[in-house]
Amino acid sequence: MTRKDSLLALLVVVVWGLNFVVIKLGLHNMPPLMLAGLRFVLVAFPALLVVSRPKIPLRLLLGYGLTISFGQFAFLFCAINFGMPAGLASLMLQAQAFFTIILGACVFGERLQAKQVIGITLAVFGVLVLAQASLNGQHVALLGFMLTLAAALSWACGNIFNKMIMQLPVRPSVMSLVVWSALIPIVPFMLASLIFDGPAVMLQSLVNIDIVTVFSLLYLAFVATIIGYGIWGTLLGRYETWRVAPLSLLVPVFGMGSAALLLGETLTLLQLAGAVLIMAGLYINVFGIRLRKALPVR
């Protein structure tokens, strides 16, 4: 990569890492499902007025929007609202990589490589350690923990739909897919908020909206989604996937770092052990295990 593109990639990783802290801040004065719904309203409008509709089957667009947009963020926003620490959520969400591998094997018949099996095994142990920490009441509600895993599974399902879309004879641009798929979750989010929160709570959150919530919505919609996905899609189109994709491993690093710095979140030793196992599994899944052979010395 050029130095400019490397800095752009790093910028996106930092933006996505801060995303979880911003969600936590936005939820202090607005119910989670409504916050997520308003986020996608801002993503779709007014961008769809200047971005052409992707020429893909409606079923694939619906599947993509209902999984990677509605499912992922409905579960994630609710998980953080129910007490899941923002930093830990940024790490747990990366379990989508392993869910994607397993779903890819089931849907497309892809064979698992040895490094993927090792990575999944380590990550599963890490998840079990974090689950044990949750059961012991160590700063994480079990409901928030399970909802975050559900968010990761939804993201993985969205990845499968994304792969189906990218295998079409004419591939849509990343930005057109992001903008037009943002229309799909708006109504489900608002209906869900109406059912679970009620019209009085929704109206009150709008009437009493403050600058922190407004900032959160603007950041989530324009910075994290439109700018973030726009830059990331450009880099994926300019370079090989293996040069760009592994940089997403830094997202939980910045996520946990920013949560510790801005929210004062800390991890217990048991949670830290689980986090290390998951990060090790992610690393092995991407890079494998490389053993350097010692050179003979004359």
Side-chain angles (χ1 to χ4, degrees), residues 171-292:
R171 295 184 179 183
S173 69
V174 174
M175 190 52 60
S176 68
L177 185 60
V178 169
V179 169
W180 282 86
S181 65
L183 282 173
I184 295 169
I186 294 174
V187 173
F189 271 126
M190 294 306 176
L191 284 177
S193 184
L194 188 65
I195 293 170
F196 292 107
D197 303 315
V201 173
M202 295 176 69
L203 181 60
Q204 184 180 9
S205 64
L206 284 177
V207 172
N208 298 324
I209 194 169
D210 57 13
I211 190 64
V212 175
T213 307
V214 172
F215 165 78
S216 299
L217 285 169
L218 293 176
Y219 185 95
L220 294 171
F222 297 110
V223 180
T225 304
I226 293 180
I227 295 177
Y229 280 105
I231 294 175
W232 196 257
T234 301
L235 294 176
L236 284 172
R238 189 174 298 168
Y239 298 98
E240 300 91 340
T241 304
W242 61 266
R243 290 188 187 274
V244 181
L247 295 174
S248 63
L249 288 175
L250 294 174
V251 170
V253 175
F254 286 104
M256 290 188 288
S258 61
L261 184 64
L262 301 175
L263 301 177
E265 292 183 0
T266 57
L267 297 180
T268 65
L269 288 178
L270 192 58
Q271 290 173 338
L272 186 60
V276 169
L277 285 171
I278 292 175
M279 285 298 295
L282 287 168
Y283 179 88
I284 292 173
N285 175 62
V286 174
F287 298 105
I289 302 175
R290 299 177 181 178
L291 299 176
R292 294 184 178 180

Side-chain angles (χ1 to χ4, degrees), residues 13-297:
V13 169
V14 173
V15 163
W16 285 348
L18 287 169
N19 197 40
F20 298 87
V21 172
V22 174
I23 292 172
K24 190 83 170 181
L25 294 175
L27 289 172
H28 84 288
N29 199 32
M30 183 171 284
L33 296 170
M34 186 174 179
L35 183 71
L38 290 178
R39 173 215 181 146
F40 284 101
V41 169
L42 293 177
V43 171
F45 300 98
L48 59 81
L49 299 177
V50 295
V51 177
S52 59
R53 182 187 180 279
K55 293 180 174 58
I56 61 175
L58 181 59
R59 60 182 178 81
L60 293 181
L61 187 62
L62 286 172
Y64 181 85
L66 290 175
T67 53
I68 208 165
S69 297
F70 177 70
Q72 177 187 181
F73 292 106
F75 288 127
L76 177 62
F77 279 42
C78 289
I80 294 177
N81 188 58
F82 287 133
M84 184 70 178
L88 205 54
S90 70
L91 174 63
M92 286 297 303
L93 200 61
Q94 301 307 312
Q96 59 84 19
F98 304 113
F99 285 132
T100 301
I101 292 170
I102 295 171
L103 289 175
C106 296
V107 176
F108 301 109
E110 298 173 349
R111 296 183 61 182
L112 296 179
Q113 300 177 18
K115 67 175 184 178
Q116 293 171 336
V117 174
I118 296 172
I120 290 173
T121 303
L122 279 176
V124 167
F125 277 114
V127 169
L128 291 176
V129 170
L130 289 177
Q132 183 62 41
S134 301
L135 291 173
N136 291 339
Q138 297 182 359
H139 308 301
V140 183
L142 184 60
L143 177 59
F145 177 83
M146 297 304 295
L147 286 172
T148 308
L149 279 181
L153 178 59
S154 297
W155 184 358
C157 292
N159 289 338
I160 298 300
F161 279 105
N162 184 73
K163 183 166 184 176
M164 292 178 180
I165 291 170
M166 292 306 166
Q167 288 178 342
L168 295 173
V170 179
R171 295 184 179 183
S173 69
V174 174
M175 190 52 60
S176 68
L177 185 60
V178 169
V179 169
W180 282 86
S181 65
L183 282 173
I184 295 169
I186 294 174
V187 173
F189 271 126
M190 294 306 176
L191 284 177
S193 184
L194 188 65
I195 293 170
F196 292 107
D197 303 315
V201 173
M202 295 176 69
L203 181 60
Q204 184 180 9
S205 64
L206 284 177
V207 172
N208 298 324
I209 194 169
D210 57 13
I211 190 64
V212 175
T213 307
V214 172
F215 165 78
S216 299
L217 285 169
L218 293 176
Y219 185 95
L220 294 171
F222 297 110
V223 180
T225 304
I226 293 180
I227 295 177
Y229 280 105
I231 294 175
W232 196 257
T234 301
L235 294 176
L236 284 172
R238 189 174 298 168
Y239 298 98
E240 300 91 340
T241 304
W242 61 266
R243 290 188 187 274
V244 181
L247 295 174
S248 63
L249 288 175
L250 294 174
V251 170
V253 175
F254 286 104
M256 290 188 288
S258 61
L261 184 64
L262 301 175
L263 301 177
E265 292 183 0
T266 57
L267 297 180
T268 65
L269 288 178
L270 192 58
Q271 290 173 338
L272 186 60
V276 169
L277 285 171
I278 292 175
M279 285 298 295
L282 287 168
Y283 179 88
I284 292 173
N285 175 62
V286 174
F287 298 105
I289 302 175
R290 299 177 181 178
L291 299 176
R292 294 184 178 180
K293 295 181 180 180
L295 296 176
V297 180

